[in-house]
Amino acid sequence: GENVEQHPSTLSVQEGDSAVIKCTYSDSASNYFPWYKQELGKRPQLIIDIRSNVGEKKDQRIAVTLNKTAKHFSLHITETQPEDSAVYFCAPTSWGKLQFGAGTQVVVTP
Amino acid sequence: NAGVTQTPKFQVLKTGQSMTLQCAQDMNHNSMYWYRQDPGMGLRLIYYSASEGTTDKGEVPNGYNVSRLNKREFSLRLESAAPSQTSVYFCASSLPRQSSGNTIYFGEGSWLTVV
């Protein structure tokens, strides 16, 4: 099965700075790379995803980059705001059962 | 369009009791999942169903059983609850497609405490 690792496990950033979270996976057959955000007490929700034939995707202040050769993809958040404080999960998959990384707790301090 | 609906939202059980968590989705998704999330922890897959009539074990299946009753419904049963099963349980569904990916949609969660 897929072995998924996320780094760092916690990330504290000043409001306005950038945050980067890296997800490393083991299954070379993985071809779909999403990031989910979970606010305290709520359900996880998709924030951005990328397919294996694309190297980068942006959506306003968030972006995802993929390095299939090295088997990792990263979430980039620019101009962080307090509402970006949450736990972020990656879930690389090859269409089978999805397994999530352990999560990264992001805290944005004013 | 309610998405993924799971019940109950909160439950307290005594050790040894049994209960079933119900889940239904109205998005015509093929795949359904049950995850558990312990405090401060990630999401761990309990069971997975790729389609009606099929189920598959995830990372932590011991102590649980599932039923994919039809395309809409996927229930999770605890036969003899243990304190180690105190957790938040999320049901989820998705429609894997080569053209669009495999976005998972989660229910609101069920908070289960076993005393």
Side-chain angles (χ1 to χ4, degrees):
Chain A
E2 182 79 90
N3 184 27
V4 180
E5 293 187 357
Q6 268 184 248
H7 294 282
S9 56
T10 59
L11 183 58
S12 183
V13 295
Q14 289 273 24
E15 183 176 355
D17 287 351
S18 295
V20 181
I21 306 168
K22 184 176 179 179
C23 181
T24 304
Y25 61 96
S26 62
D27 188 353
S28 56
S30 293
N31 56 10
Y32 175 65
F33 307 93
W35 284 97
Y36 289 80
K37 176 183 180 182
Q38 185 180 28
E39 296 176 357
L40 189 63
K42 297 193 175 179
R43 73 186 98 183
Q45 290 190 295
L46 178 76
I47 55 170
I48 195 166
D49 58 8
I50 196 168
R51 303 293 306 282
S52 60
N53 57 347
V54 177
E56 182 177 2
K57 182 178 178 180
K58 286 185 180 179
D59 183 3
Q60 299 180 21
R61 295 186 298 107
I62 60 173
V64 54
T65 58
L66 172 65
N67 185 328
K68 274 213 86 177
T69 304
K71 295 183 195 169
H72 65 74
F73 62 112
S74 297
L75 176 68
H76 305 255
I77 308 172
T78 58
E79 301 172 23
T80 53
Q81 300 170 6
E83 54 263 37
D84 295 327
S85 294
V87 179
Y88 293 81
F89 296 97
C90 63
T93 181
S94 58
W95 308 122
K97 49 194 176 185
L98 275 82
Q99 293 190 199
F100 287 76
T104 297
Q105 173 79 60
V106 173
V107 177
V108 180
T109 54
Chain B
N1 191 341
V4 180
T5 304
Q6 55 181 110
T7 57
K9 187 154 188 176
F10 299 98
Q11 184 72 49
V12 178
L13 283 178
K14 293 183 179 178
T15 298
Q17 285 186 320
S18 62
M19 78 159 297
T20 299
L21 296 173
Q22 307 286 354
C23 176
Q25 51 91 9
D26 61 2
M27 296 176 282
N28 203 33
H29 285 172
N30 293 332
S31 298
M32 296 188 74
Y33 314 79
W34 276 105
Y35 291 91
R36 63 175 287 175
Q37 186 174 37
D38 300 327
M41 303 287 284
L43 295 150
R44 292 187 292 170
L45 183 64
I46 305 172
Y47 270 95
Y48 157 73
S49 172
S51 61
E52 182 180 352
T54 68
T55 61
D56 196 7
K57 293 179 181 179
E59 302 169 77
V60 289
N62 291 343
Y64 306 95
N65 285 302
V66 290
S67 295
R68 183 75 184 265
L69 305 169
N70 47 54
K71 190 170 186 179
R72 290 187 64 247
E73 299 173 288
F74 189 39
S75 62
L76 179 72
R77 182 161 179 82
L78 286 69
E79 291 291 352
S80 179
S84 60
Q85 294 178 302
T86 294
S87 191
V88 181
Y89 291 84
F90 286 100
C91 178
S93 71
S94 71
L95 183 62
R97 278 186 176 162
Q98 291 289 346
S99 59
S100 59
N102 190 17
T103 302
I104 284 200
Y105 296 85
F106 287 87
E108 292 186 305
S110 296
W111 274 254
L112 177 65
T113 301
V114 183
V115 297

